[in-house]
Amino acid sequence: MSRLVAPSLLAADFTNLKQDVEMINKSEADWLHMDVMDGVFVPNISFGMPVIAAVHAISVKPLDVHLMIVQPERYIDAFKEAGAYLLNVHYEASPHLHRTVESIHQKGMKAGVTLNPHTSVNLLEDILPDLDLVLIMSVNPGFGGQKFIENSYDKVSRLKDLILKRNSKALIEIDGGVTSANARQLYDAGADVLVAGSYVFNDSNPTEAIKALKKA
Ligand code: DX5
Ligand code: ZN
């Protein structure tokens, strides 16, 4: 079981992005989480490839890219070029998920599948052996700073059982409303990677907030 932390750049200061990326570089964070929103799959628009490429040029942490977009398969090459280490596509946005995952692997990236809060982990049974990661949304995607959905703990445990049953090596990642108050319970339920946006960047000492998640 790993205990990785991926601060989400969505909550960073966009007028001082370099400073925030350098803070993450020097911190105990394992990955840097980047949220791409298209205004169609989710009711919000964030940033795209140019911002990812710019961050990639100065980040020493691997980029964990979370695509909240329709037809993510159209942009696999572009996100590889921008510097993604891991590409997360939503189950709900990709009807030919097996092909999408294969294409991500062919480009040399890790492949993750993300589930909205209402989507059952059981739907992943047949694709789990092909995945590097499953991202469970613990809020409805589209915005930072929302309240953690309590059902997520149970969902993590059920996913963990399924991963063991299918002999999958997939990591479990949680995104939305993560703080030091729920981190321990998430790790205990089987989570390997915690994403945190507002908890990290709203803290007066973000480096310490990252440390608190690692040590939860
Ligand atoms: C929400 C994004 C999250 C967001 C998390 O759609 O996927 O990554 O940045 O923000 P917090 O940690 O504030 O809930
Ligand atoms: Zn995210």
Short mmCIF file of all heavy atoms in Angstrom, two decimals, residues 108-156:
data_model
loop_
_atom_site.label_atom_id
_atom_site.label_comp_id
_atom_site.label_asym_id
_atom_site.label_seq_id
_atom_site.Cartn_x
_atom_site.Cartn_y
_atom_site.Cartn_z
N GLY A 108 2.89 5.63 -23.76
CA GLY A 108 3.88 5.60 -22.68
C GLY A 108 3.44 6.28 -21.40
O GLY A 108 4.28 6.63 -20.57
N MET A 109 2.12 6.49 -21.23
CA MET A 109 1.63 7.09 -19.98
C MET A 109 0.96 6.02 -19.12
O MET A 109 0.54 4.99 -19.62
CB MET A 109 0.62 8.21 -20.29
CG MET A 109 1.23 9.42 -20.97
SD MET A 109 -0.02 10.67 -21.39
CE MET A 109 -0.82 9.95 -22.80
N LYS A 110 0.82 6.30 -17.84
CA LYS A 110 0.01 5.47 -16.95
C LYS A 110 -1.45 5.82 -17.23
O LYS A 110 -1.78 6.97 -17.54
CB LYS A 110 0.32 5.79 -15.48
CG LYS A 110 1.77 5.60 -15.11
CD LYS A 110 2.06 4.16 -14.78
CE LYS A 110 3.48 3.98 -14.30
NZ LYS A 110 3.93 2.59 -14.48
N ALA A 111 -2.33 4.82 -17.07
CA ALA A 111 -3.74 5.04 -17.37
C ALA A 111 -4.60 4.91 -16.11
O ALA A 111 -4.51 3.91 -15.39
CB ALA A 111 -4.21 4.04 -18.42
N GLY A 112 -5.43 5.93 -15.88
CA GLY A 112 -6.36 5.90 -14.76
C GLY A 112 -7.78 6.10 -15.26
O GLY A 112 -8.00 6.76 -16.28
N VAL A 113 -8.73 5.49 -14.54
CA VAL A 113 -10.15 5.71 -14.85
C VAL A 113 -10.80 6.33 -13.62
O VAL A 113 -10.59 5.89 -12.50
CB VAL A 113 -10.85 4.40 -15.26
CG1 VAL A 113 -12.36 4.57 -15.30
CG2 VAL A 113 -10.34 3.94 -16.62
N THR A 114 -11.58 7.37 -13.86
CA THR A 114 -12.21 8.13 -12.78
C THR A 114 -13.70 7.82 -12.72
O THR A 114 -14.36 7.71 -13.77
CB THR A 114 -12.01 9.65 -13.03
OG1 THR A 114 -10.63 9.89 -13.26
CG2 THR A 114 -12.49 10.47 -11.85
N LEU A 115 -14.21 7.70 -11.48
CA LEU A 115 -15.64 7.45 -11.29
C LEU A 115 -16.31 8.63 -10.61
O LEU A 115 -15.85 9.10 -9.55
CB LEU A 115 -15.85 6.22 -10.39
CG LEU A 115 -15.26 4.89 -10.86
CD1 LEU A 115 -15.58 3.81 -9.83
CD2 LEU A 115 -15.80 4.50 -12.23
N ASN A 116 -17.44 9.08 -11.16
CA ASN A 116 -18.26 10.08 -10.48
C ASN A 116 -18.87 9.46 -9.22
O ASN A 116 -18.94 8.22 -9.11
CB ASN A 116 -19.38 10.54 -11.42
CG ASN A 116 -18.94 11.68 -12.32
OD1 ASN A 116 -17.96 12.37 -12.02
ND2 ASN A 116 -19.64 11.89 -13.40
N PRO A 117 -19.36 10.29 -8.30
CA PRO A 117 -19.87 9.72 -7.04
C PRO A 117 -20.98 8.68 -7.22
O PRO A 117 -21.08 7.74 -6.42
CB PRO A 117 -20.40 10.97 -6.30
CG PRO A 117 -19.55 12.08 -6.80
CD PRO A 117 -19.28 11.75 -8.24
N HIS A 118 -21.79 8.79 -8.26
CA HIS A 118 -22.90 7.85 -8.42
C HIS A 118 -22.52 6.58 -9.19
O HIS A 118 -23.34 5.67 -9.31
CB HIS A 118 -24.07 8.52 -9.16
CG HIS A 118 -23.76 8.73 -10.63
ND1 HIS A 118 -23.06 9.82 -11.09
CD2 HIS A 118 -24.03 7.96 -11.71
CE1 HIS A 118 -22.93 9.71 -12.41
NE2 HIS A 118 -23.49 8.59 -12.80
N THR A 119 -21.31 6.51 -9.71
CA THR A 119 -20.93 5.37 -10.56
C THR A 119 -20.36 4.24 -9.71
O THR A 119 -19.43 4.45 -8.93
CB THR A 119 -19.90 5.83 -11.62
OG1 THR A 119 -20.45 6.94 -12.33
CG2 THR A 119 -19.59 4.71 -12.60
N SER A 120 -20.92 3.03 -9.88
CA SER A 120 -20.51 1.90 -9.05
C SER A 120 -19.13 1.37 -9.42
O SER A 120 -18.80 1.26 -10.61
CB SER A 120 -21.54 0.78 -9.21
OG SER A 120 -21.05 -0.40 -8.60
N VAL A 121 -18.36 1.00 -8.43
CA VAL A 121 -17.03 0.41 -8.68
C VAL A 121 -17.15 -0.92 -9.42
O VAL A 121 -16.24 -1.32 -10.14
CB VAL A 121 -16.23 0.20 -7.37
CG1 VAL A 121 -15.92 1.52 -6.70
CG2 VAL A 121 -16.94 -0.74 -6.41
N ASN A 122 -18.31 -1.59 -9.29
CA ASN A 122 -18.48 -2.89 -9.95
C ASN A 122 -18.37 -2.79 -11.47
O ASN A 122 -18.02 -3.77 -12.13
CB ASN A 122 -19.84 -3.49 -9.59
CG ASN A 122 -19.91 -3.82 -8.11
OD1 ASN A 122 -18.91 -4.20 -7.52
ND2 ASN A 122 -21.07 -3.65 -7.51
N LEU A 123 -18.65 -1.63 -12.01
CA LEU A 123 -18.59 -1.46 -13.47
C LEU A 123 -17.16 -1.59 -14.00
O LEU A 123 -16.96 -1.73 -15.20
CB LEU A 123 -19.16 -0.08 -13.86
CG LEU A 123 -20.66 0.07 -13.57
CD1 LEU A 123 -21.08 1.52 -13.68
CD2 LEU A 123 -21.46 -0.77 -14.55
N LEU A 124 -16.18 -1.55 -13.09
CA LEU A 124 -14.79 -1.62 -13.53
C LEU A 124 -14.22 -3.04 -13.52
O LEU A 124 -13.08 -3.26 -13.89
CB LEU A 124 -13.91 -0.74 -12.64
CG LEU A 124 -14.18 0.77 -12.69
CD1 LEU A 124 -13.20 1.49 -11.77
CD2 LEU A 124 -14.04 1.29 -14.12
N GLU A 125 -15.03 -4.01 -13.08
CA GLU A 125 -14.51 -5.36 -12.87
C GLU A 125 -13.71 -5.89 -14.05
O GLU A 125 -12.63 -6.45 -13.89
CB GLU A 125 -15.66 -6.32 -12.53
CG GLU A 125 -15.14 -7.71 -12.25
CD GLU A 125 -16.08 -8.54 -11.39
OE1 GLU A 125 -17.22 -8.11 -11.14
OE2 GLU A 125 -15.64 -9.64 -11.00
N ASP A 126 -14.21 -5.69 -15.27
CA ASP A 126 -13.54 -6.27 -16.43
C ASP A 126 -12.35 -5.48 -16.94
O ASP A 126 -11.57 -6.00 -17.74
CB ASP A 126 -14.57 -6.48 -17.55
CG ASP A 126 -15.47 -7.64 -17.20
OD1 ASP A 126 -15.00 -8.78 -17.29
OD2 ASP A 126 -16.62 -7.40 -16.77
N ILE A 127 -12.19 -4.26 -16.49
CA ILE A 127 -11.06 -3.47 -16.98
C ILE A 127 -9.98 -3.28 -15.91
O ILE A 127 -8.85 -2.87 -16.22
CB ILE A 127 -11.52 -2.11 -17.58
CG1 ILE A 127 -10.42 -1.55 -18.47
CG2 ILE A 127 -11.93 -1.12 -16.50
CD1 ILE A 127 -10.87 -0.66 -19.56
N LEU A 128 -10.28 -3.66 -14.68
CA LEU A 128 -9.32 -3.43 -13.59
C LEU A 128 -7.92 -3.97 -13.86
O LEU A 128 -6.93 -3.29 -13.57
CB LEU A 128 -9.86 -4.03 -12.28
CG LEU A 128 -10.67 -3.08 -11.40
CD1 LEU A 128 -11.11 -3.82 -10.14
CD2 LEU A 128 -9.87 -1.85 -11.02
N PRO A 129 -7.77 -5.18 -14.42
CA PRO A 129 -6.41 -5.69 -14.65
C PRO A 129 -5.59 -4.84 -15.62
O PRO A 129 -4.36 -4.92 -15.64
CB PRO A 129 -6.64 -7.10 -15.23
CG PRO A 129 -8.01 -7.47 -14.75
CD PRO A 129 -8.80 -6.20 -14.74
N ASP A 130 -6.27 -4.00 -16.42
CA ASP A 130 -5.56 -3.16 -17.39
C ASP A 130 -5.21 -1.77 -16.85
O ASP A 130 -4.55 -0.99 -17.54
CB ASP A 130 -6.43 -2.96 -18.64
CG ASP A 130 -6.77 -4.28 -19.29
OD1 ASP A 130 -5.83 -5.00 -19.65
OD2 ASP A 130 -7.97 -4.59 -19.41
N LEU A 131 -5.67 -1.47 -15.65
CA LEU A 131 -5.51 -0.10 -15.15
C LEU A 131 -4.33 0.07 -14.19
O LEU A 131 -4.00 -0.84 -13.43
CB LEU A 131 -6.78 0.36 -14.42
CG LEU A 131 -8.07 0.35 -15.24
CD1 LEU A 131 -9.23 0.86 -14.39
CD2 LEU A 131 -7.91 1.18 -16.50
N ASP A 132 -3.74 1.26 -14.24
CA ASP A 132 -2.70 1.61 -13.26
C ASP A 132 -3.31 2.28 -12.05
O ASP A 132 -2.70 2.32 -10.98
CB ASP A 132 -1.68 2.56 -13.91
CG ASP A 132 -1.03 1.94 -15.12
OD1 ASP A 132 -0.35 0.90 -14.95
OD2 ASP A 132 -1.22 2.43 -16.25
N LEU A 133 -4.51 2.84 -12.23
CA LEU A 133 -5.11 3.62 -11.14
C LEU A 133 -6.60 3.79 -11.36
O LEU A 133 -7.07 3.84 -12.50
CB LEU A 133 -4.41 4.99 -11.11
CG LEU A 133 -4.85 6.05 -10.10
CD1 LEU A 133 -3.63 6.83 -9.61
CD2 LEU A 133 -5.85 7.02 -10.69
N VAL A 134 -7.34 3.84 -10.26
CA VAL A 134 -8.75 4.24 -10.30
C VAL A 134 -8.90 5.47 -9.41
O VAL A 134 -8.43 5.48 -8.27
CB VAL A 134 -9.68 3.13 -9.78
CG1 VAL A 134 -11.13 3.61 -9.76
CG2 VAL A 134 -9.55 1.87 -10.63
N LEU A 135 -9.49 6.51 -9.96
CA LEU A 135 -9.71 7.75 -9.21
C LEU A 135 -11.17 7.83 -8.80
O LEU A 135 -12.07 7.86 -9.65
CB LEU A 135 -9.33 8.96 -10.08
CG LEU A 135 -9.70 10.35 -9.57
CD1 LEU A 135 -9.17 10.60 -8.17
CD2 LEU A 135 -9.13 11.42 -10.51
N ILE A 136 -11.42 7.81 -7.50
CA ILE A 136 -12.78 7.93 -6.99
C ILE A 136 -13.05 9.39 -6.65
O ILE A 136 -12.34 9.99 -5.83
CB ILE A 136 -12.97 7.04 -5.74
CG1 ILE A 136 -12.92 5.57 -6.17
CG2 ILE A 136 -14.26 7.36 -5.01
CD1 ILE A 136 -13.20 4.59 -5.07
N MET A 137 -14.05 9.96 -7.30
CA MET A 137 -14.44 11.34 -6.98
C MET A 137 -15.24 11.33 -5.68
O MET A 137 -16.28 10.67 -5.58
CB MET A 137 -15.30 11.94 -8.10
CG MET A 137 -14.55 12.27 -9.37
SD MET A 137 -13.08 13.28 -9.16
CE MET A 137 -13.75 14.76 -8.41
N SER A 138 -14.76 12.09 -4.71
CA SER A 138 -15.46 12.18 -3.43
C SER A 138 -16.22 13.50 -3.32
O SER A 138 -16.68 13.89 -2.25
CB SER A 138 -14.48 12.00 -2.27
OG SER A 138 -13.26 12.64 -2.53
N VAL A 139 -16.35 14.20 -4.47
CA VAL A 139 -17.28 15.33 -4.65
C VAL A 139 -17.75 15.21 -6.10
O VAL A 139 -17.17 14.46 -6.88
CB VAL A 139 -16.60 16.72 -4.47
CG1 VAL A 139 -16.04 16.88 -3.06
CG2 VAL A 139 -15.50 16.94 -5.51
N ASN A 140 -18.77 15.97 -6.48
CA ASN A 140 -19.13 16.01 -7.90
C ASN A 140 -18.11 16.88 -8.62
O ASN A 140 -17.82 18.00 -8.19
CB ASN A 140 -20.55 16.56 -8.06
CG ASN A 140 -21.57 15.52 -7.65
OD1 ASN A 140 -21.71 14.49 -8.31
ND2 ASN A 140 -22.22 15.74 -6.53
N PRO A 141 -17.53 16.36 -9.72
CA PRO A 141 -16.42 17.06 -10.36
C PRO A 141 -16.84 18.41 -10.93
O PRO A 141 -17.98 18.60 -11.33
CB PRO A 141 -15.99 16.10 -11.47
CG PRO A 141 -17.17 15.26 -11.75
CD PRO A 141 -17.89 15.12 -10.43
N GLY A 142 -15.89 19.33 -10.97
CA GLY A 142 -16.14 20.63 -11.58
C GLY A 142 -15.64 21.80 -10.74
O GLY A 142 -15.31 22.85 -11.30
N PHE A 143 -15.55 21.61 -9.44
CA PHE A 143 -15.17 22.73 -8.58
C PHE A 143 -14.33 22.24 -7.40
O PHE A 143 -14.56 21.14 -6.90
CB PHE A 143 -16.42 23.44 -8.02
CG PHE A 143 -17.32 23.94 -9.13
CD1 PHE A 143 -18.34 23.14 -9.61
CD2 PHE A 143 -17.11 25.19 -9.69
CE1 PHE A 143 -19.15 23.57 -10.66
CE2 PHE A 143 -17.92 25.64 -10.74
CZ PHE A 143 -18.95 24.82 -11.22
N GLY A 144 -13.41 23.10 -6.96
CA GLY A 144 -12.68 22.82 -5.74
C GLY A 144 -13.50 23.30 -4.54
O GLY A 144 -14.54 23.95 -4.70
N GLY A 145 -13.04 22.94 -3.36
CA GLY A 145 -13.64 23.47 -2.14
C GLY A 145 -15.01 22.93 -1.76
O GLY A 145 -15.72 23.55 -0.99
N GLN A 146 -15.38 21.76 -2.28
CA GLN A 146 -16.68 21.20 -1.93
C GLN A 146 -16.56 20.21 -0.76
O GLN A 146 -15.48 19.77 -0.40
CB GLN A 146 -17.27 20.46 -3.14
CG GLN A 146 -17.45 21.30 -4.38
CD GLN A 146 -18.07 20.47 -5.50
OE1 GLN A 146 -19.27 20.28 -5.56
NE2 GLN A 146 -17.22 19.96 -6.38
N LYS A 147 -17.74 19.84 -0.25
CA LYS A 147 -17.79 18.97 0.93
C LYS A 147 -17.60 17.50 0.53
O LYS A 147 -18.24 17.02 -0.41
CB LYS A 147 -19.15 19.17 1.60
CG LYS A 147 -19.29 18.54 2.96
CD LYS A 147 -20.65 18.92 3.56
CE LYS A 147 -20.96 18.17 4.83
NZ LYS A 147 -21.11 16.73 4.68
N PHE A 148 -16.77 16.81 1.26
CA PHE A 148 -16.48 15.39 1.06
C PHE A 148 -17.76 14.54 1.21
O PHE A 148 -18.51 14.71 2.16
CB PHE A 148 -15.45 14.97 2.12
CG PHE A 148 -15.02 13.54 2.05
CD1 PHE A 148 -14.04 13.13 1.17
CD2 PHE A 148 -15.60 12.59 2.88
CE1 PHE A 148 -13.63 11.80 1.13
CE2 PHE A 148 -15.20 11.26 2.85
CZ PHE A 148 -14.22 10.88 1.96
N ILE A 149 -17.97 13.63 0.26
CA ILE A 149 -19.14 12.73 0.32
C ILE A 149 -18.77 11.49 1.15
O ILE A 149 -17.84 10.74 0.79
CB ILE A 149 -19.59 12.34 -1.11
CG1 ILE A 149 -20.05 13.60 -1.88
CG2 ILE A 149 -20.68 11.27 -1.08
CD1 ILE A 149 -20.34 13.38 -3.35
N GLU A 150 -19.49 11.27 2.23
CA GLU A 150 -19.11 10.24 3.22
C GLU A 150 -19.14 8.82 2.67
O GLU A 150 -18.40 7.95 3.13
CB GLU A 150 -20.03 10.34 4.45
CG GLU A 150 -19.90 11.65 5.22
CD GLU A 150 -18.59 11.74 6.00
OE1 GLU A 150 -18.14 10.72 6.55
OE2 GLU A 150 -18.02 12.85 6.05
N ASN A 151 -20.00 8.56 1.69
CA ASN A 151 -20.09 7.21 1.09
C ASN A 151 -18.76 6.77 0.46
O ASN A 151 -18.56 5.58 0.18
CB ASN A 151 -21.20 7.21 0.03
CG ASN A 151 -21.36 5.87 -0.65
OD1 ASN A 151 -21.54 4.85 0.00
ND2 ASN A 151 -21.27 5.85 -1.98
N SER A 152 -17.85 7.74 0.27
CA SER A 152 -16.59 7.42 -0.43
C SER A 152 -15.74 6.39 0.32
O SER A 152 -15.03 5.61 -0.31
CB SER A 152 -15.78 8.70 -0.65
OG SER A 152 -16.59 9.71 -1.22
N TYR A 153 -15.79 6.39 1.66
CA TYR A 153 -14.97 5.41 2.41
C TYR A 153 -15.37 3.99 2.01
O TYR A 153 -14.53 3.14 1.72
CB TYR A 153 -15.18 5.54 3.91
CG TYR A 153 -14.81 6.87 4.51
CD1 TYR A 153 -15.78 7.69 5.10
CD2 TYR A 153 -13.49 7.32 4.50
CE1 TYR A 153 -15.44 8.91 5.68
CE2 TYR A 153 -13.14 8.53 5.06
CZ TYR A 153 -14.12 9.32 5.65
OH TYR A 153 -13.78 10.51 6.21
N ASP A 154 -16.69 3.76 2.01
CA ASP A 154 -17.22 2.44 1.69
C ASP A 154 -16.87 2.06 0.25
O ASP A 154 -16.52 0.92 -0.06
CB ASP A 154 -18.74 2.47 1.91
CG ASP A 154 -19.35 1.10 1.72
OD1 ASP A 154 -18.84 0.15 2.33
OD2 ASP A 154 -20.31 0.98 0.93
N LYS A 155 -16.92 3.07 -0.62
CA LYS A 155 -16.61 2.84 -2.02
C LYS A 155 -15.14 2.41 -2.18
O LYS A 155 -14.83 1.51 -2.97
CB LYS A 155 -16.88 4.14 -2.79
CG LYS A 155 -17.29 3.93 -4.21
CD LYS A 155 -17.84 5.19 -4.80
CE LYS A 155 -17.90 5.08 -6.29
NZ LYS A 155 -18.44 6.28 -6.92
N VAL A 156 -14.27 3.05 -1.44
CA VAL A 156 -12.84 2.69 -1.49
C VAL A 156 -12.66 1.23 -1.04
O VAL A 156 -11.96 0.46 -1.70
CB VAL A 156 -11.99 3.63 -0.60
CG1 VAL A 156 -10.55 3.14 -0.51
CG2 VAL A 156 -12.02 5.05 -1.15
#
